Amino acid sequence: MIPARRTITLFTPGKIYSGEIDVPNALLRTTDLLNSANLYWKDPAYKSFTDGLLMYNVVLSIDGVDKYQTFESIQIRQPNIIFFYDDFTGLGSSEEKARADKLKEKTRDESKTIHLITKARVNSFFDMQGTFHGLFKNKSSQKYIPISDVIMHEIIRQQDKWVKKRVKLANNFICVNSSYIEASSLV
């Protein structure tokens, strides 16, 4: 059986990697996959880093250069990922939405507006605002925190001033690396 692949876009300090990752089955959410203790690799012998994410057909972009380089395959170290999003335009299947609605009802969970500021890296940081579902205390212990309805800006130091630049996202859902979060505010 050939495992499924999923398109994913990763933001690291100063770089954007877009490509495909192996998933053990097409129903597994990308958030669950990257939050798992053991990241799935179709060929574990190819693994060089214990914290590496193997990507295929990758386009590396940097500020001002959309296709700086391409790679047939490349390993990205997870601690360097600031945030990511996948190619899903909606939030899950109808079964997953029904399960989430039941869980919300059971836990009396409400969505909250969250404002996050990341640590500064390579003379920039991200300022993002969106909707958070669940108990933040529980989610903050995971590697990646899911946020929907995201509005994001990159704040960049250019010579002697800071410039605010809107980050265009392919959809309205991202997962932020919890180790990059410097400050958060829930409303």
Side-chain angles (χ1 to χ4, degrees):
M1 182 176 106
I2 298 172
R5 284 199 178 162
R6 180 167 304 147
T7 302
I8 185 172
T9 300
L10 311 171
F11 286 70
T12 66
K15 299 172 203 76
I16 302 168
Y17 296 88
S18 293
E20 301 170 323
I21 59 171
D22 287 325
V23 292
N25 71 63
L27 298 176
L28 186 63
R29 295 183 303 178
T30 310
T31 307
D32 293 339
L33 178 68
L34 269 68
N35 273 332
S36 69
N38 296 309
L39 196 58
Y40 177 76
W41 284 63
K42 183 178 94 175
D43 181 5
Y46 189 63
K47 194 171 193 173
S48 297
F49 298 104
T50 57
D51 59 359
L53 175 66
L54 180 60
M55 294 181 71
Y56 304 93
N57 307 316
V58 178
V59 174
L60 168 60
S61 299
I62 56 177
D63 194 27
V65 183
D66 284 340
K67 293 182 179 179
Y68 174 68
Q69 284 187 350
T70 59
F71 300 90
E72 219 174 277
S73 67
I74 193 168
Q75 295 181 41
I76 310 294
R77 301 203 55 198
Q78 282 196 72
N80 294 324
I81 299 170
I82 301 170
F83 65 91
F84 72 86
Y85 59 84
D86 55 30
D87 62 345
F88 292 120
T89 55
L91 293 176
S93 66
S94 57
E95 293 86 14
E96 187 178 318
K97 289 176 186 176
R99 186 186 78 177
D101 288 341
K102 262 187 189 174
L103 186 61
K104 275 194 243 180
E105 185 179 305
K106 184 179 175 182
T107 61
R108 297 176 199 179
D109 181 32
E110 295 179 15
S111 60
K112 299 168 190 72
T113 299
I114 189 165
H115 189 160
L116 297 174
I117 299 172
T118 66
K119 296 176 185 176
R121 296 284 187 262
V122 191
N123 295 324
S124 75
F125 64 91
F126 293 94
D127 184 351
M128 56 189 81
Q129 194 166 344
T131 303
F132 176 80
H133 302 274
L135 298 171
F136 190 71
K137 184 176 182 178
N138 291 349
K139 296 280 185 186
S140 66
S141 65
Q142 297 179 342
K143 285 188 257 183
Y144 298 98
I145 299 171
I147 301 172
S148 60
D149 306 316
V150 178
I151 297 170
M152 183 181 317
H153 293 92
E154 184 175 14
I155 313 303
I156 306 164
R157 177 113 179 139
Q158 291 181 342
Q159 295 171 347
D160 61 344
K161 63 182 177 177
W162 291 93
V163 177
K164 184 176 178 179
K165 178 177 120 182
R166 177 85 183 248
V167 177
K168 294 177 186 171
L169 302 171
N171 57 39
N172 68 350
F173 180 78
I174 66 167
C175 287
V176 182
N177 186 331
S178 59
S179 66
Y180 268 91
I181 297 171
E182 181 173 275
S184 66
S185 174
L186 283 166
V187 181

